[in-house]
Amino acid sequence: MTNSSDYVPPKVWMWNKANGGQFANINRPISGPTHDKELPVGRHPLQLYSLATPNGVKVTVMLEELLALGHSGAEYDAWLIKIGDGEQFGSGFVAVNPNSKIPALMDRSGPKPIRVFESGAILLYLAEKFGAFVPTDSTRAECLSWLFWQMGAAPYLGGGFGHFYAYAPAKIEYAIDRFAMEVKRHLDVLDKQLAENEYVAGRAYTIADMAIWPWYGGLVKGVLYDAGEFLSVEDYRHVRRWADLIGRRPAVQRGRMVNRSWGELSSQLHERHDAADFETKTQDKLASGNS
Ligand SMILES: N[C@@H](CCC(=O)N[C@@H](CS)C(=O)NCC(=O)O)C(=O)O
């Protein structure tokens, strides 16, 4: 790879497969499937194909919250998609999300399956389907504004800051500075909002909190990119107060475990097909033969 300071872009960009750093094996400039592979389908109305990254956790938290509220129609099978192995490029997955990214949801509760992709769209779809976690009063606009704020902001945090701070093959000061500045601005925006409001959109816990918490909650608790000290996250005390509040919710604690394939074995529930799986199917239990 050319040193960033020597690099002069050619007239026409060409795909150099060796250039992509940590994600070289999965990043491609073209869309569509690379191989034929049907997706599994379980017995529940909702089929989720995902991984416990922040975007994936948004949806599993929502599903666990809906179940905790008593919405049995939100029962779901969660299937693990190993994006590092390119499973998002299987033909079955691409049919659910042509953009080849987790999370992807298939709603099989009606006569015709409905596909939903993009985590924000999935949250809103489920909120409207079950009439929960999205306000119907004057605070609805606030909730949707923060939901879409997150969808626009997260690529700067993940694809920008996280990529250049944690994953890029070289530490490029310009890129890290640019995105650290933007991410700190995001944290300041949130901190001011949460100084005045218990939850992001006001008094009620909504899909805006579920969308923002896995990213910015993780960041202020120092678990994302190991960047807590670098970004002085202690300064954002209102975001930290809120991150703890959300993190204490039992449904959030369950949602974090679903489709998780790293960390403590007891925190990894690779697939979720039943509420009892949290007790019996985590990786520590499976390893000890207690399934
Ligand atoms: N805007 C999308 C982003 C989804 C996304 O970036 N997913 C990542 C994991 S967090 C992914 O599937 N990456 C696989 C790839 O890029 O090939 C959403 O919110 O659903």
Side-chain angles (χ1 to χ4, degrees):
M1 189 165 112
T2 315
N3 184 310
S4 59
S5 57
D6 304 336
Y7 176 63
V8 178
K11 276 210 161 45
V12 177
W13 182 83
M14 302 292 283
W15 180 20
N16 174 359
K17 287 189 190 175
N19 243 358
Q22 179 150 338
F23 300 108
N25 58 335
I26 56 171
N27 290 342
R28 300 180 309 148
I30 44 174
S31 64
T34 54
H35 58 282
D36 280 336
K37 183 152 191 250
E38 289 301 304
L39 288 175
V41 178
R43 68 195 162 100
H44 294 306
L46 300 174
Q47 300 295 308
L48 178 69
Y49 303 98
S50 196
L51 180 70
T53 64
N55 288 323
V57 164
K58 294 174 193 175
V59 176
T60 47
V61 164
M62 175 64 166
L63 290 165
E64 291 298 327
E65 293 284 9
L66 288 167
L67 290 170
L69 266 192
H71 291 287
S72 56
E75 263 300 349
Y76 68 107
D77 292 280
W79 304 96
L80 182 65
I81 299 295
K82 294 182 197 142
I83 60 174
D85 295 348
E87 291 182 359
Q88 68 277 36
F89 301 113
S91 53
F93 189 89
V94 175
V96 184
N97 183 357
N99 195 40
S100 283
K101 304 221 182 246
I102 66 88
L105 180 77
M106 197 63 113
D107 180 353
R108 295 181 166 273
S109 63
K112 214 174 147 217
I114 295 172
R115 77 176 189 190
V116 200
F117 57 91
E118 283 292 319
S119 57
I122 297 173
L123 289 178
L124 191 53
Y125 177 84
L126 292 172
E128 288 181 339
K129 180 178 171 87
F130 293 101
F133 301 114
V134 64
T136 48
D137 62 11
S138 59
T139 62
R140 182 179 178 85
E142 188 72 7
C143 170
L144 296 187
S145 299
W146 284 105
L147 173 68
F148 284 82
W149 172 84
Q150 191 284 327
M151 296 305 295
Y156 290 95
L157 169 50
F161 175 74
H163 181 79
F164 287 106
Y165 182 73
Y167 302 134
K171 301 286 179 227
I172 303 167
E173 186 178 356
Y174 174 82
I176 293 173
D177 268 359
R178 176 177 160 81
F179 291 113
M181 170 126 57
E182 178 66 0
V183 165
K184 282 183 70 76
R185 197 185 61 78
H186 294 169
L187 286 170
D188 193 47
V189 170
L190 268 183
D191 206 54
K192 286 175 175 145
Q193 176 70 5
L194 287 163
E196 306 287 324
N197 298 282
E198 185 174 11
Y199 295 100
V200 167
R203 287 204 201 131
Y205 172 57
T206 70
I207 50 175
D209 298 285
M210 294 179 211
I212 296 170
W213 182 82
W215 284 104
Y216 293 90
L219 195 63
V220 290
K221 298 305 286 181
V223 295
L224 215 56
Y225 312 124
D226 207 9
E229 187 179 1
F230 183 70
L231 295 174
S232 308
V233 294
E234 299 290 334
D235 295 349
Y236 306 101
R237 66 189 175 92
H238 303 292
V239 185
R240 288 169 65 82
R241 185 266 309 154
W242 163 86
D244 288 336
L245 176 72
I246 306 294
R248 283 195 293 272
R249 296 180 69 89
V252 170
Q253 289 168 13
R254 286 195 299 278
R256 291 183 73 174
M257 295 167 65
V258 178
N259 296 145
R260 188 174 159 97
S261 57
W262 59 88
E264 298 266 315
L265 292 181
S266 59
S267 74
Q268 296 185 32
L269 182 60
H270 287 192
E271 288 184 5
R272 185 263 187 223
H273 303 290
D274 192 278
D277 292 349
F278 292 98
E279 305 305 323
T280 56
K281 298 258 166 52
T282 49
Q283 285 299 296
D284 57 329
K285 302 273 171 53
L286 294 182
S288 70
N290 256 355
S291 58

